[in-house]
Amino acid sequence: MSNTFTAHTQHVLLRRNTSDAPDNDLENDLLLSNTSTHALQQPIRNRSDSIPCVDHEETVQPTPSHKRKQSDTGDLADLQIQLSPSAFRSSLNLERIEQGDDDDEDDDSIVFSFDNNRSSSQQGRLFSSYPMTKGARLVAAVVVLLVAFMTIRSSRKGRSDDGNMETPSDSKYNDGGNEEIIGEPMEAQIPKYNWIEFYDDVSRIPDVQSSGPFRVDANIGGLHLYENVCVTNNVDAPKAPYFDTSMRGLVYFTNDKAMQKNSKRCVPCKAEDIDERWGSGSSGSGEASNSVKHQCGMKGLHTMYASSVTDWNQCTASNDNHQMMIRTKQNQSPANAKHVHFFEKPTFLLQFQANDRESSLFDTLFTYLPHWHKFREEAFPFQSVISHSVEGCLSHNRNWFCEIAHHLGAFGRAKEIMWEQTESTLYCFQSLYYNQLSYQRTLSHDGLITKSIMDDFRDELFRSFALPRPRDMSEIRKKDAKLGMTRAFKIALYANANGRKDVWKGLESLVSSSQAMTKYHGVEFTLIDNLDNLTVAEQARAFNLADAIIMASGEHLANSIFTTDDTAFVELGCETTSLIDNSHFMGFILGTHTSIGQCQEGHSPEEVCVTCSGIGGLESSFSMTGVAFHELIDDLIKSHQDKVAFMRDSL
């Protein structure tokens, strides 16, 4: 039999199977006239339309669709196959209506009936009942295989085991115009949200190597960048008697062979050096590092070394290491990481002493201040802030330092990351900015903070808190001098009555007796009861309205940043240790500071000093005689009058 196809003019009536369509669909029957071997280009209208086939000399060229099917069955209409003179149609009975020579052996016209309701045996008998050439049988077999393949493919991706539609992350589906590309399903995908990767199995974390610290600005110290590190919290520091909320641990990943042999590599140690040096080598230096044979890190950020989170877990689980951390007050949370949150966006580590206003100002804010001054003119390099000192520091917390940072816009538009309450989650960061604790505690790094930077900082606070008096009172005092006006001399006094140390006993009676004296009629005495009961704005206003501050020593003196230029500060106590007693700081705010301590044996009654009790204990107090107190007030009034006279004479 010849394999050459001879064209015949045939009329084929396509009728829908009554099981697939209602009777009235018969009016849509098509009368097709095949006049050549070219493919019929009739569009396919729906899933019940004809399935094209090829003649025995052509090869089937299916073009799979890249759009995910939305039905439970395969869409056979998506197969684009060239038509032969004999057409196939799914779920339709195709009958030969007209044929040339029934006995013509070269006639390759073939009629198939595809009915999904028939059994496989019935379909087999149907195929065998028609005369088929070898080539036609091959074509039929290919078509059947394609139909079976598409049906299985559709059913496999149609529904999941629980009966719900699956939407693999790498398949292509259409949802309002958004499409995904079909591909092989990805196994064990890491959950990710808002640039955060969540690991419930620490062994699945990719191997990383830490790097840093690097200076963020080569000309400004104090702010450093670490890469691929994790942060823990020291759980011993916040406890009595320290109440320190600023201590953190740093997990630093390294494959250094010498470090891997060090069994104490994961034990943190206290870093006393406030400089930013990060020593090289694994042995470190100093007494603390000799006990663990590695660098302790920086003050406030104590380093632990490991090759991975799993290695860190195993190292900290050692009983010897655990006991050593207990003895040295270096217990960390989490002690054993079961989950890891890995932050891809640059993050600022905000750590400060939440229970000490003065420490948070000098140890944290003044280190960051020159960088803030630069960032607000250019751009903030981080997009997130994380702090475990207090919860919600940049949003709802009313901590003194947090209020300052909020009013200052200290971190631009960075969002705060909230810590989970669980003790088993380790927080890791691709880029971590560390503001070195205590780097500018004494303002000894010259040139980092200037008078101009301090003025900008304080002007921003004065504006944000809407303080009644400006920072620079010189113009107001000049006008007063021209008009010959004399304003009342305002003194703010504080006994620290609710404190534990340096409590001023008898201050209220001293103020009452002074107010009754005629020589002090031009003086306004403001006795502050308890600063801790005042909001930060109220504390700022109390300091802002004063020309002189007379207070017991304590961290409340951090409010000095709200005072006007040329304010006089008098600090009293058995052991005055305030950080504002710093010539650099007083030079920035143009203030004067006087410390009054314990009276020495054989002192005169007029000597301005205090009598102490409970020195060296957890609680201490002091008192002052009326004579000494009045002597102190007289000195302050005279100094203020000299300033006013100088202003008047200079006009």
Side-chain angles (χ1 to χ4, degrees), residues 190-206:
I190 303 303
K192 184 174 179 180
Y193 175 75
N194 198 23
W195 299 99
I196 307 171
E197 291 182 349
F198 301 90
Y199 295 89
D200 289 330
D201 183 356
V202 298
S203 64
R204 294 175 59 197
I205 303 174

Side-chain angles (χ1 to χ4, degrees), residues 144-156:
V144 171
L145 287 175
L146 285 173
V147 171
F149 171 76
M150 294 302 295
T151 303
I152 294 173
R153 177 185 176 93
S154 177
S155 62
R156 287 182 60 185

Side-chain angles (χ1 to χ4, degrees), residues 184-337:
E184 293 299 325
M186 296 178 62
E187 297 182 359
Q189 295 188 23
I190 303 303
K192 184 174 179 180
Y193 175 75
N194 198 23
W195 299 99
I196 307 171
E197 291 182 349
F198 301 90
Y199 295 89
D200 289 330
D201 183 356
V202 298
S203 64
R204 294 175 59 197
I205 303 174
D207 292 336
V208 295
Q209 290 290 295
S210 301
S211 58
F214 310 107
R215 264 195 178 190
V216 174
D217 190 305
N219 299 317
I220 307 175
L223 186 61
H224 306 273
L225 174 64
Y226 288 91
E227 295 177 339
N228 297 320
V229 294
C230 303
V231 175
T232 61
N233 296 302
N234 186 312
V235 297
D236 291 322
K239 300 176 182 177
Y242 308 107
F243 301 105
D244 190 350
T245 64
S246 64
M247 295 294 105
R248 302 289 173 267
L250 182 79
V251 183
Y252 196 94
F253 299 107
T254 177
N255 286 329
D256 181 75
K257 294 182 179 179
M259 186 63 72
Q260 291 304 309
K261 295 179 181 179
N262 180 8
S263 62
K264 304 295 182 185
R265 62 187 179 277
C266 63
V267 179
C269 52
K270 187 176 182 180
E272 296 289 351
D273 191 359
I274 64 173
D275 288 334
E276 58 183 21
R277 293 190 297 270
W278 182 276
S280 60
S282 59
S283 61
S285 60
E287 182 179 354
S289 60
N290 286 337
S291 62
V292 294
K293 295 182 173 57
H294 66 72
Q295 293 287 330
C296 292
M298 297 184 182
K299 189 173 179 63
L301 194 64
H302 303 160
T303 310
M304 300 164 280
Y305 295 89
S307 60
S308 64
V309 176
T310 301
D311 177 51
W312 181 75
N313 279 340
Q314 295 171 349
C315 182
T316 56
S318 166
N319 184 63
D320 290 342
N321 292 340
H322 180 62
Q323 293 300 322
M324 187 173 186
M325 286 189 281
I326 293 176
R327 291 194 305 271
T328 58
K329 305 295 183 184
Q330 290 290 335
N331 279 304
Q332 304 295 314
S333 174
N336 184 277

